[in-house]
Coordinates of all heavy atoms in Angstrom, one line a residue:
N1 N 0.1 -13.1 -36.1 CA 1.4 -13.7 -35.6 C 1.5 -15.2 -36.2 O 0.6 -15.7 -36.8 CB 1.6 -13.7 -34.1 CG 0.6 -14.5 -33.4 OD1 -0.2 -15.2 -33.9 ND2 0.6 -14.4 -32.0
E2 N 2.6 -15.8 -35.9 CA 2.9 -17.1 -36.4 C 2.0 -18.1 -36.0 O 1.5 -19.1 -36.7 CB 4.3 -17.5 -36.1 CG 5.0 -18.1 -37.2 CD 6.5 -18.3 -36.9 OE1 7.1 -17.4 -36.0 OE2 7.2 -19.3 -37.3
S3 N 1.6 -18.0 -34.7 CA 0.6 -18.9 -34.1 C -0.7 -19.0 -34.8 O -1.3 -20.0 -35.0 CB 0.5 -18.6 -32.6 OG 1.7 -18.8 -31.9
A4 N -1.2 -17.8 -35.2 CA -2.5 -17.7 -35.9 C -2.4 -18.4 -37.3 O -3.3 -19.1 -37.7 CB -2.9 -16.3 -36.1
E5 N -1.2 -18.1 -37.9 CA -1.0 -18.8 -39.3 C -1.0 -20.3 -39.1 O -1.5 -21.0 -40.0 CB 0.3 -18.3 -39.8 CG 0.6 -18.7 -41.3 CD 1.8 -18.1 -41.8 OE1 2.6 -17.6 -41.1 OE2 1.9 -18.2 -43.1
Q6 N -0.4 -20.9 -38.0 CA -0.4 -22.3 -37.7 C -1.7 -22.8 -37.4 O -2.1 -23.9 -38.0 CB 0.7 -22.6 -36.6 CG 2.1 -22.5 -37.1 CD 2.4 -23.7 -38.0 OE1 1.9 -24.8 -37.9 NE2 3.3 -23.4 -39.0
V7 N -2.4 -22.2 -36.6 CA -3.6 -22.8 -36.0 C -4.9 -22.5 -36.8 O -5.8 -23.4 -36.9 CB -3.9 -22.3 -34.5 CG1 -5.2 -22.8 -34.0 CG2 -2.7 -22.7 -33.6
M8 N -4.9 -21.4 -37.6 CA -6.1 -21.0 -38.4 C -5.7 -20.8 -39.8 O -5.8 -19.6 -40.3 CB -6.8 -19.8 -37.7 CG -7.5 -20.2 -36.5 SD -8.2 -18.7 -35.6 CE -6.7 -18.2 -34.8
P9 N -5.1 -21.7 -40.5 CA -4.6 -21.5 -41.9 C -5.8 -21.1 -42.8 O -5.6 -20.5 -43.9 CB -4.0 -22.8 -42.3 CG -4.7 -23.8 -41.4 CD -5.0 -23.1 -40.1
E10 N -7.0 -21.3 -42.4 CA -8.2 -21.0 -43.2 C -8.3 -19.5 -43.5 O -8.9 -19.1 -44.5 CB -9.5 -21.5 -42.5 CG -9.6 -23.0 -42.5 CD -9.1 -23.6 -41.2 OE1 -8.4 -22.8 -40.5 OE2 -9.3 -24.7 -41.0
L11 N -7.8 -18.7 -42.6 CA -7.8 -17.2 -42.7 C -7.1 -16.8 -44.0 O -7.4 -15.7 -44.6 CB -7.1 -16.6 -41.5 CG -8.0 -16.1 -40.4 CD1 -7.2 -15.6 -39.3 CD2 -9.1 -15.0 -40.8
F12 N -6.2 -17.6 -44.5 CA -5.3 -17.2 -45.7 C -5.7 -17.8 -46.9 O -4.9 -17.7 -47.9 CB -3.9 -17.4 -45.2 CG -3.5 -17.0 -43.8 CD1 -3.5 -17.8 -42.8 CD2 -3.3 -15.6 -43.6 CE1 -3.2 -17.3 -41.5 CE2 -3.1 -15.2 -42.3 CZ -3.0 -16.0 -41.2
R13 N -6.8 -18.6 -46.9 CA -7.2 -19.2 -48.1 C -8.1 -18.3 -49.0 O -8.7 -17.4 -48.5 CB -7.8 -20.6 -47.7 CG -6.9 -21.5 -47.1 CD -7.5 -22.9 -46.7 NE -6.5 -23.8 -46.1 CZ -6.7 -24.8 -45.4 NH1 -8.0 -25.1 -45.2 NH2 -5.8 -25.5 -44.9
T14 N -8.3 -18.8 -50.2 CA -9.0 -17.9 -51.2 C -10.4 -17.6 -50.7 O -10.9 -16.5 -50.9 CB -9.0 -18.6 -52.6 OG1 -7.7 -18.8 -52.9 CG2 -9.7 -17.6 -53.6
D15 N -11.2 -18.6 -50.2 CA -12.6 -18.3 -49.9 C -12.7 -17.4 -48.8 O -13.7 -16.6 -48.7 CB -13.3 -19.6 -49.5 CG -12.6 -20.5 -48.5 OD1 -11.6 -20.0 -48.0 OD2 -13.0 -21.7 -48.3
A16 N -11.8 -17.3 -47.9 CA -11.9 -16.3 -46.7 C -11.4 -14.9 -47.1 O -11.9 -13.9 -46.6 CB -11.1 -16.8 -45.6
R17 N -10.5 -14.9 -48.1 CA -10.1 -13.5 -48.6 C -9.6 -12.7 -47.5 O -9.8 -11.5 -47.5 CB -11.1 -12.8 -49.5 CG -11.4 -13.5 -50.8 CD -12.7 -13.2 -51.4 NE -13.0 -11.8 -51.6 CZ -14.1 -11.2 -51.9 NH1 -15.1 -12.0 -52.1 NH2 -14.2 -9.9 -52.1
R18 N -8.9 -13.3 -46.6 CA -8.4 -12.6 -45.4 C -9.4 -11.8 -44.7 O -9.1 -10.6 -44.4 CB -7.2 -11.9 -45.7 CG -5.9 -12.8 -46.1 CD -4.7 -12.2 -46.4 NE -3.6 -13.2 -46.6 CZ -2.4 -12.9 -47.1 NH1 -2.1 -11.7 -47.4 NH2 -1.5 -13.9 -47.2
N19 N -10.5 -12.3 -44.4 CA -11.6 -11.7 -43.7 C -12.1 -12.7 -42.7 O -12.5 -13.8 -43.1 CB -12.7 -11.2 -44.6 CG -13.8 -10.5 -43.9 OD1 -14.8 -11.2 -43.4 ND2 -13.8 -9.2 -43.9
A20 N -12.1 -12.3 -41.4 CA -12.5 -13.3 -40.3 C -13.9 -13.7 -40.4 O -14.2 -14.9 -40.2 CB -12.3 -12.6 -39.0
L21 N -14.8 -12.9 -40.9 CA -16.2 -13.4 -40.9 C -16.4 -14.3 -42.1 O -17.2 -15.2 -42.1 CB -17.2 -12.2 -41.1 CG -18.7 -12.4 -40.8 CD1 -18.9 -12.8 -39.3 CD2 -19.5 -11.2 -41.1
R22 N -15.7 -14.0 -43.3 CA -15.8 -14.9 -44.4 C -15.2 -16.3 -44.0 O -15.7 -17.4 -44.4 CB -15.0 -14.3 -45.6 CG -15.7 -13.2 -46.3 CD -15.0 -12.8 -47.6 NE -15.6 -11.7 -48.2 CZ -15.2 -10.5 -48.2 NH1 -14.0 -10.3 -47.5 NH2 -15.7 -9.5 -48.8
M23 N -14.1 -16.3 -43.2 CA -13.7 -17.6 -42.8 C -14.7 -18.4 -42.0 O -14.9 -19.6 -42.2 CB -12.4 -17.4 -41.9 CG -11.8 -18.7 -41.3 SD -10.5 -18.5 -40.1 CE -11.4 -17.8 -38.7
V24 N -15.4 -17.7 -41.1 CA -16.4 -18.5 -40.3 C -17.5 -19.1 -41.1 O -17.9 -20.2 -40.9 CB -17.0 -17.4 -39.3 CG1 -18.2 -18.1 -38.6 CG2 -15.9 -17.1 -38.2
F25 N -18.0 -18.3 -42.1 CA -19.2 -18.7 -42.9 C -18.9 -19.4 -44.2 O -19.7 -20.2 -44.7 CB -20.1 -17.5 -43.1 CG -20.9 -17.2 -42.0 CD1 -20.5 -16.1 -41.1 CD2 -22.2 -17.8 -41.7 CE1 -21.3 -15.7 -40.0 CE2 -22.9 -17.4 -40.7 CZ -22.5 -16.4 -39.8
C26 N -17.7 -19.3 -44.7 CA -17.4 -19.8 -46.1 C -16.4 -20.9 -46.1 O -16.2 -21.5 -47.2 CB -17.0 -18.6 -47.0 SG -18.2 -17.4 -47.3
N27 N -15.7 -21.2 -45.1 CA -14.7 -22.2 -45.1 C -15.1 -23.5 -44.4 O -15.3 -23.5 -43.2 CB -13.4 -21.7 -44.5 CG -12.2 -22.7 -44.7 OD1 -12.1 -23.6 -44.0 ND2 -11.4 -22.4 -45.8
E28 N -15.3 -24.6 -45.1 CA -15.8 -25.8 -44.6 C -14.8 -26.4 -43.6 O -15.2 -27.1 -42.7 CB -16.1 -26.8 -45.7 CG -17.3 -26.4 -46.5 CD -18.6 -26.5 -45.7 OE1 -18.7 -27.3 -44.8 OE2 -19.5 -25.7 -46.0
S29 N -13.5 -26.3 -43.9 CA -12.6 -26.9 -42.9 C -12.7 -26.2 -41.6 O -12.7 -26.9 -40.6 CB -11.2 -26.6 -43.5 OG -10.2 -27.0 -42.6
F30 N -12.8 -24.9 -41.5 CA -12.9 -24.3 -40.2 C -14.2 -24.6 -39.5 O -14.3 -24.9 -38.3 CB -12.9 -22.7 -40.4 CG -12.9 -21.9 -39.1 CD1 -11.7 -21.9 -38.3 CD2 -14.0 -21.4 -38.6 CE1 -11.7 -21.1 -37.1 CE2 -14.1 -20.7 -37.4 CZ -12.9 -20.6 -36.7
R31 N -15.3 -24.8 -40.3 CA -16.6 -25.2 -39.8 C -16.4 -26.6 -39.1 O -17.0 -26.8 -38.0 CB -17.7 -25.2 -40.8 CG -19.0 -25.7 -40.3 CD -19.9 -26.0 -41.5 NE -20.2 -24.8 -42.2 CZ -21.4 -24.3 -42.4 NH1 -22.5 -24.8 -42.0 NH2 -21.6 -23.2 -43.2
E32 N -15.8 -27.5 -39.7 CA -15.7 -28.8 -39.2 C -14.7 -28.9 -38.0 O -14.9 -29.8 -37.2 CB -15.1 -29.8 -40.3 CG -16.1 -29.9 -41.5 CD -15.5 -30.7 -42.6 OE1 -14.3 -31.0 -42.5 OE2 -16.2 -30.9 -43.6
R33 N -13.7 -28.0 -38.0 CA -12.8 -28.1 -36.9 C -13.2 -27.5 -35.6 O -12.7 -27.7 -34.5 CB -11.4 -27.5 -37.4 CG -10.8 -28.2 -38.5 CD -9.3 -28.0 -38.6 NE -9.0 -26.5 -38.7 CZ -8.2 -25.8 -37.9 NH1 -7.7 -26.4 -36.8 NH2 -8.0 -24.6 -38.2
L34 N -14.1 -26.5 -35.7 CA -14.5 -25.7 -34.6 C -15.7 -26.3 -33.9 O -16.8 -26.6 -34.5 CB -14.9 -24.3 -35.0 CG -15.3 -23.4 -33.8 CD1 -14.2 -23.1 -32.9 CD2 -15.9 -22.0 -34.4
A35 N -15.6 -26.6 -32.6 CA -16.8 -27.2 -31.9 C -17.8 -26.1 -31.7 O -17.5 -24.9 -31.5 CB -16.3 -27.6 -30.5
D36 N -19.1 -26.5 -31.7 CA -20.2 -25.5 -31.5 C -20.1 -24.4 -32.6 O -20.2 -23.2 -32.3 CB -20.2 -24.9 -30.1 CG -20.4 -25.9 -29.0 OD1 -21.2 -26.8 -29.2 OD2 -19.8 -25.8 -28.0
W37 N -19.9 -24.9 -33.9 CA -19.8 -23.9 -34.9 C -21.0 -22.9 -35.0 O -20.8 -21.7 -35.1 CB -19.6 -24.5 -36.2 CG -19.5 -23.5 -37.4 CD1 -18.5 -22.9 -37.8 CD2 -20.7 -23.1 -38.2 NE1 -18.9 -22.0 -38.9 CE2 -20.2 -22.1 -39.1 CE3 -22.0 -23.4 -38.2 CZ2 -21.0 -21.5 -40.0 CZ3 -22.8 -22.7 -39.1 CH2 -22.4 -21.8 -40.0
E38 N -22.2 -23.5 -34.9 CA -23.4 -22.6 -35.1 C -23.4 -21.5 -34.0 O -23.7 -20.3 -34.3 CB -24.7 -23.4 -35.0 CG -25.9 -22.6 -35.2 CD -27.2 -23.3 -35.3 OE1 -27.1 -24.5 -35.8 OE2 -28.3 -22.8 -35.0
Q39 N -23.2 -21.8 -32.8 CA -23.2 -20.8 -31.7 C -22.1 -19.8 -31.9 O -22.4 -18.5 -31.8 CB -22.9 -21.5 -30.4 CG -22.8 -20.5 -29.2 CD -22.6 -21.2 -27.9 OE1 -22.5 -22.5 -27.8 NE2 -22.4 -20.5 -26.8
H40 N -21.0 -20.1 -32.4 CA -19.9 -19.2 -32.7 C -20.3 -18.4 -33.9 O -20.1 -17.2 -33.8 CB -18.6 -20.0 -33.0 CG -17.5 -19.1 -33.5 ND1 -16.7 -18.4 -32.6 CD2 -17.0 -18.9 -34.7 CE1 -15.8 -17.7 -33.3 NE2 -15.9 -18.0 -34.6
A41 N -20.9 -18.9 -35.0 CA -21.1 -18.2 -36.1 C -22.3 -17.2 -35.9 O -22.2 -16.0 -36.3 CB -21.6 -19.1 -37.2
R42 N -23.3 -17.6 -35.0 CA -24.4 -16.7 -34.7 C -23.9 -15.5 -33.9 O -24.2 -14.3 -34.1 CB -25.5 -17.4 -34.0 CG -26.4 -18.2 -34.8 CD -27.5 -18.8 -34.0 NE -28.6 -19.4 -34.7 CZ -29.6 -18.8 -35.2 NH1 -29.7 -17.5 -35.0 NH2 -30.5 -19.4 -35.9
H43 N -22.9 -15.7 -33.0 CA -22.4 -14.7 -32.1 C -21.6 -13.7 -33.1 O -21.7 -12.5 -32.9 CB -21.6 -15.2 -31.0 CG -20.8 -14.2 -30.2 ND1 -21.5 -13.3 -29.4 CD2 -19.5 -13.9 -30.1 CE1 -20.6 -12.5 -28.8 NE2 -19.4 -12.9 -29.3

C-alpha cells in the first residue's frame, strides 16, 4: 500500500530487488534507520 511506499522506500530500490530479506541485509539506509537492526536481522 501507499504507506509502505512512503515509510520503507528501500523496498523498491535496486539493491533490495523488491525482496524483504534483501532490504534488511543489503540496504544501508534501512539498516541506519531501524533501531536494533541486528536483533531484527537475526530474527
Side-chain angles (χ1 to χ4, degrees):
N1 66 7
E2 219 172 335
S3 297
E5 188 174 15
Q6 281 293 324
V7 174
M8 288 172 280
E10 293 90 351
L11 268 174
F12 313 101
R13 292 177 182 165
T14 304
D15 50 9
R17 290 160 55 187
R18 289 181 174 172
N19 179 277
L21 198 63
R22 287 191 183 99
M23 176 185 71
V24 171
F25 280 95
C26 297
N27 189 277
E28 288 297 325
S29 172
F30 185 77
R31 179 192 296 239
E32 293 172 359
R33 295 198 305 120
L34 182 68
D36 298 323
W37 176 86
E38 180 173 335
Q39 180 181 354
H40 175 77
R42 280 183 171 274
H43 175 68

